[in-house]
Amino acid sequence: MRIVGQLGEKCLTTEGLMNSPCPQDEEGRPAKEYGSFTFSYGPLAGGPIESLALDVLTRGESVDWIDYVSSKNRKIPLAGLRVEDAILKVERINANFGAAHSIAFLIAVEKALEVEPDEKVVSSRIVELELERVRNHLLVLHRLLDAASLLVPAYTVLSAVEQVNRTIGRACGHRYFMGANFLGGTVCRFEPSMLVGWTFMKEMWKVLENRIFVDRLSGNGVIKDNSLIGPAARAAGMAFDARCDGGDLPYDGFRPVSMRDGDALSRLMVRMEEVESSIEMLSEMRTEPSSFIVPERTGEGIARVESPSGDLAYLVEVEGRMLRKVEVLPPSRANLRAFLSSSRGAIFTDIPFNWESFGIWVSELEVDLG
Amino acid sequence: MSWFLRGVRRGVRTEKEPENNATWPSQLEVKGEFSGCPTRAIREGKWEPGKCVFCRRCEPNLVPTGNTVQPEVKTTNSLFRKSLHVFPVDVGSCGGCNVELKLLFSPQYDATRFGIFLVNTPRHADALLLMGVMVEGMEGPLREALDAMPEPKVVVLIGACAASGGVLGRPPEVNAHVVVPGCPPTPASIIQALRRLKGDV
Ligand code: SF4
Ligand code: SF4
């Protein structure tokens, strides 16, 4: 059993929900020393793709302490809404994980309503999640290259992101899957021929021939502990992955990739391997629009899927088609904890590379559904 | 082999006219009556793109045409013709607008060929580009950014959240010169808006 994370007031594990909060180790902030000062970064500093605020206690180059400062909290109350209306908001919690959020939410609702989804809908969900993973991992690579000012390879990778976005748009009608998933069905139509021209991985591996780039990542942000999830866990040798450890979609025979060093370079390499394995999976799948009948009932459901940054879970209580309660466990929360703890004691210039390597989205980190 | 040559070998081409490549969002054509719009983007048979989140509920009464959603451009300034420096501020977005903005600089669109550049500080910006619904914590930073910009300055809103609040909240209270509908807007729509602001088209 492993702890996945805090879901509302309870703790989600791979064996189910525990009736108590997850145990957490809190590190103490060190006192200011002679010559140390707090440097505030953001929320409007250029560089990060989203508004982001960090406080760094430093004596110049060292990161004696780093903390996250909330600035972008969005209140999106979902209780009291019909499922059909709530999904419009759920898919806008984090557009970049739009498929993962909407699919986890819908599976939780289906479990609450005790309905089995149609097989075609299930395979469409797997296709969507793998397309989303490819897009996200390439975007992480782009952001890392951009942080290193390696602009030609950075924009070459961005061209691949655009290519994936176009494929998603053609398959599901929208580049971020909005409106693609609804209660009782999906509109995506995907076939392997849509991957023609996806030859970008051959060049992507070449970025690792660049010493300057590798040096920025190697040994940066080392973290190895059981609270890690997603690519960060797999980069530290722990094969945690909701695609094979009790998640809610059938990935038969799936084996996660893993590395050992637990640094930013390993996190990137895990992602690059995963792009290849997702493309391989996609090259054998096809989907078409499909729907099934959903009954009305009162109940509670929990669902967990592997988003590109790790476990993403929803807990819902429904009455008929009305939501009584919705809790979300976005992967960015665990990744933020890991980023902060792995950055403490580092040097200042390591921070952007370490931040990007965790694939954190502030939009889902700061969302408040209550 | 250099990265430049690798790019050439892969054959990634900058597109002459940036193409719209998804069905949603695109310009909608009103074909019939519809009354269940979650954002009231349809009133008395008229469709208001800035309010639309392109949720597909009104199909087939409103039909996507596949054409780029037209931005609303209220001003043009020939001072920006050679270069337009844009400072983006995410006042509470879901990240979708942010990535589409980033993709303006992918080789397919290459916004820099139109003299459009992103800058890291409002001090160097001609245009403040806002995305997302207005959240409390970003109100102060937004005002500071606006105050720090030199004149002449323009404000560009991208996405349904910034244009109207969309389905998630309220829009920022600013005088906007350009509004780009979409959720998120496509890179083609954003480029068109910025080029019209520059007086290029
Ligand atoms: S797509 Fe959705 S938001 Fe837009 S007009 Fe139709 S129903 Fe309204
Ligand atoms: S307009 Fe749409 S894509 Fe843009 S921030 Fe709002 S919800 Fe996200």
Side-chain angles (χ1 to χ4, degrees):
Chain A
M1 180 188 89
R2 76 175 162 99
I3 289 175
V4 178
Q6 194 73 31
L7 186 53
E9 283 156 11
K10 298 180 182 171
C11 184
L12 183 65
T13 72
T14 45
E15 304 290 304
L17 212 51
M18 282 189 334
N19 264 333
S20 58
C22 299
Q24 262 188 29
D25 288 338
E26 272 305 315
E27 293 173 63
R29 186 187 179 102
K32 269 191 185 174
E33 285 177 16
Y34 176 75
S36 70
F37 59 96
T38 303
F39 177 87
S40 295
Y41 181 87
L44 287 188
I49 201 162
E50 292 180 278
S51 291
L52 162 71
L54 298 170
D55 263 356
V56 185
L57 181 69
T58 178
R59 280 161 289 163
E61 280 203 339
S62 59
V63 177
D64 297 342
W65 186 257
I66 180 166
D67 241 334
Y68 178 79
V69 185
S70 164
S71 64
K72 196 183 140 180
N73 187 283
R74 288 182 304 161
K75 291 188 173 44
I76 307 178
L78 297 179
L81 294 182
R82 286 169 60 83
V83 173
E84 294 86 334
D85 293 328
I87 185 91
L88 297 179
K89 301 182 189 237
V90 166
E91 59 194 7
R92 287 167 177 82
I93 288 173
N94 176 2
N96 296 287
F97 295 178
H101 273 272
S102 54
I103 290 167
F105 171 73
L106 287 172
I107 298 175
V109 171
E110 285 158 11
K111 285 184 167 179
L113 299 177
E114 290 183 359
V115 61
E116 285 280 324
D118 171 284
E119 251 178 59
K120 286 183 184 157
V121 174
V122 172
S123 66
S124 173
R125 288 172 176 172
I126 293 177
V127 165
E128 291 174 51
L129 290 173
E130 295 314 308
L131 286 167
E132 187 162 87
R133 189 175 331 279
V134 173
R135 193 245 323 269
N136 176 76
H137 287 3
L138 291 171
L139 190 62
V140 169
L141 173 59
H142 163 75
R143 289 165 63 176
L144 286 165
L145 288 161
D146 205 19
S149 298
L150 292 167
L151 296 185
V152 177
Y155 290 111
T156 304
V157 180
L158 207 54
S159 80
V161 175
E162 173 62 17
Q163 201 178 348
V164 178
N165 256 9
R166 289 181 182 191
T167 305
I168 296 172
R170 274 197 293 277
C172 299
H174 189 284
R175 290 153 63 94
Y176 296 84
F177 301 99
M178 289 182 191
N181 298 297
F182 53 91
L183 184 57
T186 172
V187 299
C188 294
R189 186 185 294 281
F190 171 83
E191 51 179 77
S193 65
M194 290 178 153
L195 305 181
V196 170
W198 278 34
T199 52
F200 38 75
M201 278 319 286
K202 264 190 248 152
E203 284 126 67
M204 301 301 135
W205 283 107
K206 305 264 192 235
V207 298
L208 298 181
E209 289 170 11
N210 187 307
R211 235 350 249 290
I212 302 169
F213 185 55
V214 170
D215 280 355
R216 300 320 317 245
L217 304 175
S218 178
N220 183 347
V222 176
I223 182 157
K224 302 176 184 184
D225 69 51
N226 282 331
S227 69
L228 295 171
I229 58 164
R234 299 191 283 277
M238 287 164 278
F240 303 158
D241 193 314
R243 289 177 286 178
C244 62
D245 69 4
D248 283 292
L249 286 167
Y251 277 86
D252 301 329
F254 174 79
R255 277 181 194 280
V257 283
S258 65
M259 303 278 158
R260 275 179 320 172
D261 292 347
D263 58 358
L265 181 62
S266 307
R267 290 189 278 279
L268 173 63
M269 283 168 62
V270 162
R271 287 181 202 279
M272 294 188 27
E273 296 266 7
E274 287 187 0
V275 171
E276 291 201 325
S277 83
S278 295
I279 294 176
E280 206 179 306
M281 224 184 283
L282 287 165
S283 68
E284 287 171 5
M285 295 190 77
R286 60 183 69 239
T287 67
E288 55 189 82
S290 193
S291 60
F292 56 97
I293 293 171
V294 181
E296 297 211 349
R297 236 192 118 254
T298 296
E300 183 185 271
I302 302 173
R304 178 165 64 92
V305 301
E306 184 71 15
S307 82
S309 291
D311 300 273
L312 186 156
Y314 271 88
L315 179 150
V316 300
E317 277 178 31
V318 284
E319 191 175 334
R321 286 289 157 81
M322 196 70 84
L323 289 163
R324 285 206 308 221
K325 181 173 162 186
V326 184
E327 307 276 12
V328 64
L329 165 55
S332 295
R333 295 217 179 116
N335 283 307
L336 175 73
R337 275 199 309 276
F339 159 75
L340 291 173
S341 109
S342 67
S343 294
R344 290 168 186 156
I347 57 162
F348 207 77
T349 47
D350 282 346
I351 291 176
F353 301 96
N354 196 23
W355 170 265
E356 300 298 0
S357 75
F358 281 100
I360 298 165
W361 285 98
V362 179
S363 57
E364 63 174 25
L365 185 67
E366 293 219 20
V367 75
D368 176 357
L369 302 184
Chain B
M1 191 190 294
S2 80
W3 278 95
F4 172 76
L5 291 177
R6 278 200 185 104
V8 172
R9 207 166 64 163
R10 258 198 82 212
V12 178
R13 294 227 178 102
T14 301
E15 289 155 4
K16 195 157 186 243
E17 281 306 318
E19 60 173 270
N20 189 29
N21 39 57
T23 317
W24 300 90
S26 80
Q27 197 74 24
L28 302 187
E29 192 183 327
V30 183
K31 286 256 168 94
E33 292 278 309
F34 182 74
S35 58
C37 174
T39 60
R40 299 204 181 91
I42 314 160
R43 283 239 210 119
E44 293 160 8
K46 228 182 141 257
W47 174 61
E48 283 184 56
K51 287 190 178 164
C52 183
V53 290
F54 300 90
C55 66
R56 317 184 192 190
R57 282 191 183 179
C58 53
E59 208 177 13
N61 304 59
L62 272 78
V63 185
T65 60
N67 298 326
T68 304
V69 186
Q70 293 299 306
E72 190 188 341
V73 181
K74 297 177 194 155
T75 190
T76 297
N77 193 333
S78 56
L79 259 183
F80 304 141
R81 185 157 282 170
K82 279 200 172 157
S83 64
L84 177 75
H85 290 93
V86 179
F87 181 63
V89 176
D90 153 15
V91 292
S93 83
C94 72
C97 285
N98 315 42
V99 177
E100 292 299 66
L101 178 67
K102 189 110 197 135
L103 284 165
L104 286 193
F105 301 90
S106 68
Q108 288 92 334
Y109 301 105
D110 185 19
T112 49
R113 73 186 145 141
F114 301 121
I116 299 166
F117 305 97
L118 292 186
V119 289
N120 282 342
T121 157
R123 286 268 182 237
H124 298 162
D126 307 304
L128 186 70
L129 184 146
L130 303 180
M131 47 207 164
V133 287
M134 192 70 237
V135 299
E136 214 181 306
M138 291 305 295
E139 267 169 4
L142 165 60
R143 292 290 141 204
E144 280 169 32
L146 256 177
D147 291 345
M149 285 173 71
E151 296 285 353
K153 55 186 164 195
V154 286
V155 175
V156 178
L157 306 177
I158 71 163
C161 288
S164 62
V167 279
L168 295 181
R170 63 186 176 92
E173 280 173 30
V174 282
N175 279 335
H177 302 90
V178 178
V179 180
V180 191
C183 185
T186 56
S189 248
I190 306 172
I191 286 197
Q192 198 187 97
L194 298 179
R195 290 189 67 199
R196 278 175 53 196
L197 170 65
K198 294 173 78 236
D200 284 357
V201 280

